[in-house]
């Protein structure tokens, strides 16, 4: 099926009866607790290098990362790659095991205290097909098949939900970027960042009177496709080249994201309606 036809199918809830059955090849639970304390960020329990590892699930990450303390516990020696220290280790999520290249980062004492070993970029957790992140039901899935099957799978998650195709915007750097509409309707390139508790936008988007103390804008309404969120207390972030905003868990916690591995496919965004 031509790509344009697939994109047209994305915006429609009518799924052809001829579509093959949707299939999840594996699934893993998402938790919001670490070290016996509630966590504002989504976490997934994986097995890395044969050892259980609690990882931050961050759609805004371009790569998978491991804390130095965890790599040391595996007695695995990192190597140099493009100016970074990296280590190749198997990653097991549910019943799926793949080999991943992890970037070594310095130990964050707060994360180590909570037993958090690193960061997982979910869109890099599968080599083909798609990954689906169901925040309301706290599940992470790997999907095989074709786009029409993925749409059927989404449709069955919540028949009354609103499913939309969000075209990806630059930069195509392994992170997830879409357009959102802010306040008066201005469209801005925005990163989907489940590794951040609160959404943030550049100060240059707002009238100085709205910024207040220079740290946040209160009562802001955001639109992602046709879904509206707010009023939100949005943080002010420094300007970033080509990306003026970040959607955090204050928005994403109520959404299901379906992310095809191939960057030519859009990101499907569903807001369930029970």
């Amino acid at each position: 099926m031509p790509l344009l036809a697939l994109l047209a199918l994305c915006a429609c809830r009518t799924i052809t009866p001829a579509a093959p059955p949707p299939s999840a090849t594996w699934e893993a639970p998402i938790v919001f607790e670490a070290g016996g304390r509630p966590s504002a960020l989504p976490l997934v329990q994986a097995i890395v290098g044969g050892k259980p590892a609690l990882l931050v699930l961050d759609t805004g990450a371009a790569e998978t990362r491991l804390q130095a303390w965890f790599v040391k516990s595996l007695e695995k020696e990192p190597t140099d790659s493009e100016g970074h220290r990296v280590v190749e280790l198997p990653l097991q999520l549910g019943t799926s095991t793949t080999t991943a290249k992890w970037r070594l980062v310095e130990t964050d004492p707060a994360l180590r205290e909570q037993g958090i070993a690193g960061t997982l970029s979910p869109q890099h957790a599968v080599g083909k097909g798609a990954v689906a992140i169901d925040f309301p039901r706290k599940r992470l899935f790997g999907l095989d098949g074709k786009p029409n099957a993925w749409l059927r799978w989404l449709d069955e998650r919540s028949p009354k939900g609103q499913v939309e195709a969000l075209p990806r915007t630059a930069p195509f750097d392994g992170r997830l970027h879409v357009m959102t509409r802010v306040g008066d309707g201005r469209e801005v390139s925005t990163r989907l960042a489940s590794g951040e508790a609160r959404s943030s936008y550049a100060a240059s988007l707002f009238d100085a009177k709205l910024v207040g103390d220079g740290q946040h804008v209160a009562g802001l309404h955001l639109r992602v496709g046709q879904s509206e969120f707010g009023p939100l207390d949005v943080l002010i972030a420094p300007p970033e080249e080509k990306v003026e905003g970040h959607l955090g868990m204050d928005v994403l916690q109520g959404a299901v994201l379906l992310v095809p591995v191939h960057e030519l496919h859009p990101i499907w965004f569903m807001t369930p309606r029970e």
Side-chain angles (χ1 to χ4, degrees):
M1 181 181 292
L3 179 59
L4 289 178
L6 287 176
L7 295 180
L9 177 64
C10 298
C12 178
R13 293 191 57 81
T14 302
I15 308 303
T16 172
S23 176
T25 59
W26 57 265
E27 63 179 278
I30 297 172
V31 299
F32 288 87
E33 181 178 304
R37 293 178 292 184
S39 170
L41 302 179
L43 306 164
V44 63
Q45 183 69 62
I47 297 177
V48 179
K51 186 173 182 177
L54 192 62
L55 305 171
V56 175
L57 193 65
D58 187 3
T59 55
E63 59 192 357
T64 52
R65 299 184 177 188
L66 285 176
Q67 300 264 316
W69 70 268
F70 184 81
V71 175
K72 185 176 181 180
S73 73
L74 296 175
E75 299 182 351
K76 180 75 174 181
E77 188 63 30
T79 59
D80 291 321
S81 176
E82 299 179 356
H84 301 295
R85 300 286 281 169
V86 300
V87 59
E88 286 195 12
L89 291 167
L91 163 67
Q92 181 178 339
L93 290 166
T95 58
S96 171
T97 301
T98 58
T99 298
K101 181 178 287 188
W102 304 81
R103 179 176 170 182
L104 182 68
V105 295
E106 294 299 321
T107 294
D108 182 322
L111 295 182
R112 181 173 184 177
E113 182 182 351
Q114 298 175 72
I116 297 175
T119 300
L120 176 68
S121 173
Q123 58 268 28
H124 293 93
V126 293
K128 61 181 181 179
V131 63
I133 310 132
D134 189 334
F135 288 117
R137 293 176 179 164
K138 302 177 182 178
R139 307 298 289 181
L140 175 68
F141 299 89
L143 304 178
D144 63 6
K146 301 295 183 180
N148 53 359
W150 302 337
L151 288 172
R152 275 189 63 189
W153 183 90
L154 264 185
D155 193 65
E156 292 179 359
R157 301 301 290 174
S158 178
K160 297 180 181 179
Q162 178 168 286
V163 181
E164 298 181 77
L166 303 180
R168 305 193 200 202
T169 61
F172 299 104
D173 57 2
R175 300 178 175 93
L176 306 183
H177 301 98
V178 300
M179 299 299 290
T180 63
R181 292 192 293 279
V182 180
D184 60 1
R186 179 175 180 180
E187 288 196 326
V188 297
S189 182
T190 305
R191 180 174 299 157
L192 303 182
S194 60
E196 298 182 21
R198 293 169 60 185
S199 299
S200 61
Y201 282 86
S204 58
L205 296 174
F206 308 106
D207 186 291
K209 296 179 181 178
L210 296 177
V211 178
D213 59 6
Q215 298 180 349
H216 73 282
V217 173
L220 191 67
H221 288 262
L222 308 174
R223 292 187 70 88
V224 184
Q226 298 302 312
S227 298
E228 183 170 335
F229 301 89
L232 297 171
D233 187 9
V234 173
L235 298 176
I236 291 298
E240 182 179 340
E241 183 181 1
K242 296 184 179 180
V243 179
E244 297 174 286
H246 299 78
L247 283 186
M249 285 304 295
D250 52 350
V251 170
L252 298 178
Q253 63 185 347
V256 180
L257 302 177
L258 195 153
V259 184
V261 169
H262 202 301
E263 288 189 332
L264 285 180
H265 289 293
I267 298 163
W268 284 288
F269 185 91
M270 184 179 81
T271 49
R273 299 286 187 269
E274 299 299 338

